[in-house]
Amino acid sequence: MTAQLRHLDGVVSQSLAHERKSGDDLRSFIATMNVALNVNAEQEALEQLARDIEQRFGITMGLGAMVDDESFKPWLDDAKSSIKPFYWDRYKKLLHKNGLPQDVVTTTDEVTDRILGRLGNPKLAEQWDRRGMVVGHVQSGKTANYTGLICKAADAGYRLIIVIAGIHNNLRNQTQERIDEGFIGRDTGRLATLGKKGNRAIGVGLFDDRHVPVGLTNTLFDFKKDTASTNTSQIDSYKVPVVLVIKKNHNTLRNLLDWLRENSARGDDLMIDQPMLLIDDEADNASINTKYSKEEITKINGQIRDLLNLFHRSCYVGYTATPFANIFVDPDQYDDALKEDLFPKHFIVGLDAPTNYFGASKIFIDGIPDEGDPVWLRYIADNEDILPIKHKIDQTVEELPESLKEALRAFLIARCIRNLRGQAASHCSMLVNASRFTNVQGRLRNRLHEYLTAILDSLRVNGSRGTDGLRDPQISALHETWLNEYADAEPDWEGIQAALLEAVAAAKVVEVNSRANGLDYSGDTTTGQTVIAVGGFSLSRGLTLEGLTVTWFLRNTMMYDTLMQMGRWFGYRGGFEDLCRIWMPSEAIDWYAHIAEASEELHLELKKMEKAKATPADFGLAVRSHPAALLVTARNKIGSGQKHIMIGLSNAWVETAKISAKPDDIAANQSSAERLMQDLGDRGFTTVAAEKVSGGYLLRDVPVGPIDEFLLGWRNHEQAFLTQPGPIRAYIRDRKDDELEFWDVLITSVSSDVEPFPLVDWRLGPQVRSVGYKDLRDHVLSMSGKRSRIASRGVEKVGVDPAKAKEAELQYLRDLKEDKKPDGKRVSFPDRIYRQVRDKPLFVLHLVKVRPPEESDLPYLDRLPEEPVIGWSISLPPSGKPNERVEYIINTVKFREIYGADEDDEGAWEDD
């Protein structure tokens, strides 16, 4: 879309905020404005614009969830009549101009009102402080939300607003640009260097340039004491708000604290008396106290607490998509966690993502069909000899893995197709995130630049030669990539080949880290940037890559928070979602699928707690008690040595996703299964008594004894933290006379090409599962596949009363605010909804045949068992004693070995 068409879109979108139009009325209005604004666009372009606007009108967003503490006292409704929404009205116009869907703007208005109402009343002169957290989704619009909150807070009377952005300069600068555009209305970097000559309105300033907030930071420089002191005369008047966007760095925080204290020491208490709002962006990163000694807290955590305590009236609002670390402030002592200053003790807000959000659930759950290939995902399996996942700072990069070459070719073709679709003025980016070390990132950048140059040279010589050009190896490889990826999206290869030279010539490879930041989306608005960004931690958190289309991702962490934050490919992909592709190792795909389900569950839990009028403290306990707790918190947040972690098993699913491959353990576990089947048979639970169901044979009302005996004999692998029999048996024993006295038991048996396997008097069809062959080194069978699960989807519905199952499904749709099947597709219901309505617990005995990989020369393949192995799953319904937890013990040294390097360490190589 050209700059003129974007202007036309902005004018029309703003007008439609007051009066909706559709069909002929919309098209007539667009045609009128096309003439009035001298755009003179062709009819085809005007029709496409009308369709785009109609599509945006169909995008909706829910209100999310709000969990309050018991002391909450509403104040905003009474104060609204006296609040003039100057800053908010400007920002709302900007959102419409930028093409944000009407329903999303309306919902953002309502949600930011709800958050503002949870802050302290700035007109209330008495001392107060508030602590809260807003939980969004990665790349879903959290910055837009807190910019709206800042505008409303300023309208309500807040006069000092501090935004703590990321831990890297490029993240802080990007946030400053957003605040400049959405709140200040001036380019602060230009103003700082050119003075009055640079006093040019941008963003909201183009609608109304009065009451310009004072900015003590700008797009070029973080907070500096001497610069702030020169603005004291402006600050003292407090006729307009003062805003700072600072890096989350202890030196910056120290300078700000010193400056505030010096002003206070001189008797200038006016500043300290002002109501202060502190926005902590990426609040789970660096803000958390990770040292659990009573006498010691981490530096940044302490400085944020000091900053809040300087003011008589202060609010802290942490924004994050991964709140796990905030909830796990201290995984051992819940009461201590509640006392932690930055714990969101007053409110937790869960933001809904708009319906057009391209997020984890869409990619890793809906985008991985039960049959066939994933929609957007591709596998990396060729890196180990060239660039291993685990490597050191001196790792050489002599060539590129073929999968990375394929990804780069896909990106260039996608850029070309976007140009052909009229998106040449839009930015288009590729992400390459493969190393935590800047030196390795530099080498990778060079190899990518060389390969890009080779492609460009071929296109210059042979690109215009039509079918004869396909004799060129580079153009032939591009054609092959098009056949594999985009032939359905754009079937005209001749048109693509003719346009490829222009698309590829504009592409550039840049580094994004502490020593270099080649990202620059400013400049000529008629041509979008085409960028291949190579980086590490800076690309893993907070930084937005405009128009991100293709990703090649090679990282080894398995922590929920770190993995989700690395998901720069989440966001909004209007007009090119079908072109997006993500390359990553199969293990990472499995983990993202698992985490997508956990994150969805987190947001639904917030909604349930809102209905139940639960408090943030209750939510913290619920999340910390979840069985997934061991994989939530980063290594530096769980201490060292042996860790004793209390986990609740009420409403929990536990399964053997990791099984020992040691021959003695396999034999022992098979013996335990045979004893279980024999015991069941002796009690009358035979093949004759079994009910044939999907996935196997169901036995109802089985007493707990045989199950407990089976768990007693189970040999667990040390990597399988959550299937330690001791804690599970302790939980069962406490409930064996009431809640867990009788069980449903599912003996799995499926039809497949595998020969049925005899187990006592039963002949069972084994499930077939792939395993991660790398884990065979440690004699462990790690279930891979779509969700790193041994069980099949829907297993927890087995044995549930059909009426209760139907009601659970309807309630799930109501919670999602869906009254129809999304996009006309069949709804896939998560298993947890059936667990919540179970009358009895479910024990599943799995018989699994391990599928060998296609490659025959991989290491440790001799450790794959030839015969089926035993595994198990348990579905535990909600307990009447949900707060009672059992103790799991993990060796944190082994934990670090299994789950990869600590991502927090890489800052040492990237940012001072």
Side-chain angles (χ1 to χ4, degrees):
M1 185 182 288
T2 65
Q4 284 186 309
L5 267 176
R6 280 204 301 273
H7 178 56
L8 175 60
D9 187 356
V11 171
V12 172
S13 296
Q14 288 179 65
S15 300
L16 297 179
H18 306 289
E19 181 185 359
R20 290 203 176 197
K21 298 178 188 294
S22 61
D24 293 341
D25 289 342
L26 173 62
R27 284 157 178 79
S28 176
F29 181 58
I30 290 174
T32 301
M33 297 309 298
N34 180 45
V35 175
L37 297 173
N38 290 321
V39 175
N40 299 321
E42 298 291 333
Q43 183 59 39
E44 184 180 350
L46 296 180
E47 175 59 26
Q48 186 59 52
L49 175 59
R51 291 176 182 173
D52 290 345
I53 291 174
E54 286 177 330
Q55 184 182 37
R56 290 203 298 266
F57 273 125
I59 296 168
T60 60
M61 185 170 79
L63 284 173
M66 181 75 68
V67 176
D68 287 307
D69 73 327
E70 297 169 348
S71 64
F72 172 62
K73 296 178 181 178
W75 61 270
L76 184 58
D77 288 346
D78 292 338
K80 265 197 167 182
S81 61
S82 62
I83 297 175
K84 295 180 180 179
F86 172 80
Y87 294 108
W88 168 252
D89 280 350
R90 294 196 312 173
Y91 186 57
K92 185 166 66 172
K93 289 177 182 176
L94 181 66
L95 294 178
H96 283 301
K97 180 183 177 183
N98 289 343
L100 209 67
Q102 173 64 47
D103 191 78
V104 175
V105 176
T106 301
T107 303
T108 300
D109 189 1
E110 294 180 54
V111 170
T112 47
D113 263 3
R114 296 175 79 187
I115 300 172
L116 177 65
R118 267 73 184 172
L119 307 185
N121 182 354
K123 302 299 183 183
L124 189 63
E126 64 190 51
Q127 190 166 335
W128 44 257
D129 73 281
R130 300 283 292 172
R131 303 284 181 270
M133 182 169 67
V134 179
V135 183
H137 303 262
V138 174
Q139 296 281 286
S140 68
K142 295 186 299 299
T143 307
N145 184 280
Y146 70 64
T147 303
L149 177 63
I150 287 170
C151 291
K152 289 190 172 183
D155 287 329
Y158 278 84
R159 283 298 173 263
L160 188 60
I161 298 161
I162 301 171
V163 180
I164 305 180
I167 64 174
H168 300 291
N169 287 322
N170 46 27
L171 305 186
R172 191 212 71 83
N173 296 345
Q174 189 176 77
T175 303
Q176 180 78 58
E177 289 172 2
R178 300 285 295 276
I179 297 299
D180 283 2
E181 183 187 36
F183 179 51
I184 297 176
R186 293 286 189 278
D187 183 337
T188 54
R190 183 182 174 89
L191 193 60
T193 53
L194 299 179
K196 290 184 178 180
K197 291 183 180 179
N199 193 20
R200 182 168 59 88
I202 64 169
V204 293
L206 296 173
F207 301 111
D208 193 329
D209 62 354
R210 298 173 298 152
H211 313 307
V212 179
V214 174
L216 297 187
T217 56
N218 57 61
T219 53
L220 302 177
F221 301 109
D222 204 338
F223 177 81
K224 293 184 177 180
K225 287 172 61 178
D226 54 351
T227 304
S229 296
T230 62
N231 285 323
T232 302
S233 59
Q234 291 177 280
I235 294 171
D236 285 349
S237 66
Y238 284 102
K239 293 177 182 176
V240 293
V242 178
V243 60
L244 302 85
V245 181
I246 65 174
K247 187 168 65 171
K248 196 176 293 187
N249 174 278
H250 68 88
N251 289 324
T252 304
L253 283 163
R254 185 191 64 230
N255 287 335
L256 177 58
L257 284 164
D258 289 347
W259 181 71
L260 288 167
R261 287 172 181 141
E262 287 168 9
N263 275 274
S264 180
R266 292 199 305 265
D268 183 13
D269 288 331
L270 184 60
M271 185 183 304
I272 305 301
D273 280 336
Q274 293 298 318
M276 189 273 284
L277 170 61
L278 191 153
I279 302 288
D280 185 1
D281 197 7
E282 307 295 349
D284 62 301
N285 186 32
S287 301
I288 305 301
N289 178 23
T290 57
K291 297 179 180 177
Y292 295 119
S293 164
K294 300 291 184 183
E295 306 300 325
E296 186 178 23
I297 56 175
T298 48
K299 188 171 290 185
I300 289 176
N301 175 268
Q303 288 173 320
I304 294 175
R305 290 167 60 182
D306 287 345
L307 181 58
L308 293 166
N309 292 331
L310 270 180
F311 292 86
H312 304 148
R313 296 176 291 168
S314 67
C315 290
Y316 171 88
V317 186
Y319 274 77
T320 181
T322 49
F324 307 106
N326 303 75
I327 298 301
F328 282 76
V329 170
D330 184 338
D332 291 331
Q333 290 294 328
Y334 167 69
D335 291 334
D336 284 348
L338 187 58
K339 294 172 186 174
E340 186 65 40
D341 278 27
L342 300 187
F343 184 84
K345 59 186 176 182
H346 294 119
F347 64 89
I348 300 176
V349 179
L351 299 179
D352 280 350
T355 51
N356 65 328
Y357 175 58
F358 187 69
S361 293
K362 191 167 192 174
I363 298 169
F364 295 100
I365 298 178
D366 300 336
I368 304 181
D370 292 334
E371 300 293 336
D373 296 325
V375 178
W376 295 284
L377 296 164
R378 303 294 179 263
Y379 298 96
I380 299 174
D382 59 354
N383 63 288
E384 281 302 306
D385 293 337
I386 301 172
L387 181 61
I389 289 182
K390 292 185 178 181
H391 56 260
K392 297 182 179 180
I393 193 171
D394 58 356
Q395 171 70 39
T396 59
V397 184
E398 302 296 338
E399 58 180 316
L400 297 177
E402 190 56 43
S403 60
L404 181 49
K405 292 180 180 179
E406 175 85 350
L408 179 58
R409 293 193 297 265
F411 171 67
L412 298 174
I413 296 168
R415 166 84 268 190
C416 186
I417 294 174
R418 291 188 63 189
N419 290 351
L420 294 172
R421 290 178 178 179
Q423 299 173 16
S426 300
H427 301 306
C428 189
S429 302
M430 176 178 176
L431 162 66
V432 179
N433 189 341
S435 177
R436 52 192 285 235
F437 302 117
T438 55
N439 288 350
V440 180
Q441 293 163 22
R443 296 176 193 123
L444 196 55
R445 189 207 74 83
N446 289 341
R447 300 294 85 75
L448 283 162
H449 177 77
E450 291 163 4
Y451 186 57
L452 179 65
T453 301
I455 293 174
L456 183 57
D457 290 343
S458 287
L459 288 170
R460 282 187 172 130
V461 175
N462 295 314
S464 61
R465 297 180 60 199
T467 54
D468 288 342
L470 291 175
R471 297 174 184 172
D472 185 297
Q474 298 290 3
I475 298 176
S476 176
L478 286 164
H479 181 259
E480 188 68 24
T481 300
W482 166 76
L483 284 174
N484 292 337
E485 298 294 343
Y486 297 130
D488 291 337
E490 177 48 69
D492 179 15
W493 169 253
E494 291 183 4
I496 291 174
Q497 184 175 321
L500 263 172
L501 175 59
E502 183 179 357
V504 175
K508 59 183 178 181
V509 187
V510 302
E511 275 185 71
V512 183
N513 49 44
S514 62
R515 72 181 185 187
N517 182 10
L519 284 181
D520 182 9
Y521 295 112
S522 61
D524 183 7
T525 58
T526 60
T527 304
Q529 297 280 330
T530 303
V531 177
I532 299 106
V534 183
F537 196 67
S538 293
L539 290 178
S540 300
R541 181 179 280 277
L543 197 68
T544 298
L545 291 169
E546 301 287 349
L548 181 59
T549 307
V550 171
T551 296
W552 197 80
F553 175 83
L554 188 70
R555 303 306 290 271
N556 70 332
T557 179
M558 292 183 186
M559 297 302 102
Y560 277 34
D561 42 15
T562 308
L563 268 180
M564 288 301 285
Q565 287 295 350
M566 285 183 172
R568 298 297 96 196
W569 48 83
F570 303 140
Y572 303 97
R573 303 290 181 262
F576 64 98
E577 185 178 289
D578 61 322
L579 306 180
C580 293
R581 297 292 185 270
I582 303 167
W583 272 262
M584 61 171 59
S586 59
E587 295 93 336
I589 290 175
D590 297 337
W591 275 99
Y592 269 110
H594 180 68
I595 293 168
E597 292 184 333
S599 297
E600 184 180 324
E601 190 171 350
L602 181 81
H603 281 272
L604 289 177
E605 187 71 20
L606 270 171
K607 292 182 179 181
K608 290 177 189 172
M609 291 202 150
E610 180 182 31
K611 290 178 183 177
K613 299 193 181 303
T615 68
D618 297 324
F619 180 70
L621 178 60
V623 175
R624 279 199 304 280
S625 298
H626 194 280
L630 299 182
L631 299 177
V632 166
T633 320
R635 270 76 56 221
N636 71 326
K637 301 183 183 84
I638 67 168
S640 61
Q642 275 199 338
K643 200 71 179 176
H644 299 248
I645 296 184
M646 305 301 291
I647 293 179
L649 292 176
S650 171
N651 190 26
W653 170 258
V654 184
E655 66 177 345
T656 50
K658 292 179 182 289
I659 298 172
S660 175
K662 296 175 182 176
D664 289 349
D665 291 343
I666 289 175
N669 289 335
Q670 182 171 327
S671 295
S672 291
E674 290 170 348
R675 286 195 300 272
L676 169 66
M677 302 303 288
Q678 188 66 55
D679 195 352
L680 291 174
D682 292 345
R683 296 168 183 259
F685 295 101
T686 62
T687 53
V688 177
E691 177 183 338
K692 190 73 176 74
V693 296
S694 175
Y697 300 94
L698 176 64
L699 303 171
R700 296 182 183 270
D701 294 314
V702 175
V704 67
I707 296 165
D708 186 53
E709 287 293 324
F710 170 82
L711 292 173
L712 175 63
W714 176 258
R715 291 199 185 179
N716 199 53
H717 194 278
E718 61 181 354
Q719 290 190 17
F721 300 122
L722 293 173
T723 49
Q724 296 175 32
I728 297 169
R729 293 185 64 228
Y731 181 85
I732 293 172
R733 277 198 308 273
D734 288 344
R735 293 159 177 79
K736 65 180 178 60
D737 295 326
D738 40 54
E739 296 177 341
L740 303 182
E741 184 176 5
F742 295 102
W743 292 59
D744 290 332
V745 172
L746 175 66
I747 311 298
T748 61
S749 181
V750 297
S751 299
S752 69
D753 297 334
V754 181
E755 184 73 20
F757 187 78
L759 200 63
V760 189
D761 297 329
W762 301 67
R763 286 184 62 79
L764 304 172
Q767 300 166 282
V768 180
R769 292 288 183 267
S770 300
V771 297
Y773 68 84
K774 295 175 187 175
D775 290 328
L776 290 173
R777 176 189 60 186
D778 299 322
H779 295 277
V780 61
L781 303 174
S782 292
M783 300 297 142
S784 58
K786 291 168 182 167
R787 290 172 184 85
S788 295
R789 291 187 59 173
I790 192 172
S792 301
R793 179 184 281 274
V795 68
E796 292 187 81
K797 189 176 181 179
V798 173
V800 175
D801 180 280
K804 289 186 176 181
K806 184 65 176 176
E807 176 55 34
E809 292 167 355
L810 292 173
Q811 184 59 50
Y812 175 73
L813 294 177
R814 287 192 290 268
D815 286 340
L816 292 180
K817 294 183 172 60
E818 294 178 350
D819 56 4
K820 60 182 179 180
K821 297 176 182 178
D823 301 324
K825 298 177 182 177
R826 179 176 59 85
V827 176
S828 294
F829 294 104
D831 279 70
R832 64 175 179 273
I833 68 172
Y834 306 113
R835 185 189 321 147
Q836 292 163 358
V837 296
R838 294 197 70 87
D839 295 317
K840 294 187 295 293
L842 172 70
F843 176 84
V844 185
L845 184 72
H846 298 278
L847 190 65
V848 177
K849 174 65 176 172
V850 176
R851 179 194 292 120
E854 294 179 3
E855 300 91 335
S856 59
D857 58 346
L858 296 173
Y860 314 114
L861 287 187
D862 58 329
R863 297 180 182 178
L864 280 175
E866 293 184 5
E867 291 192 338
V869 297
I870 300 296
W872 54 269
S873 311
I874 292 179
S875 175
L876 294 162
S879 171
K881 300 176 278 187
N883 293 341
E884 290 187 10
R885 295 176 288 166
V886 294
E887 183 177 75
Y888 280 79
I889 301 175
I890 57 173
N891 179 321
T892 55
V893 174
K894 176 60 68 174
F895 191 70
R896 290 187 182 93
E897 288 177 9
I898 295 167
Y899 294 109
D902 190 340
E903 292 294 333
D904 289 345
D905 287 344
E906 65 183 328
W909 303 111
E910 296 204 330
D911 263 344
D912 295 331

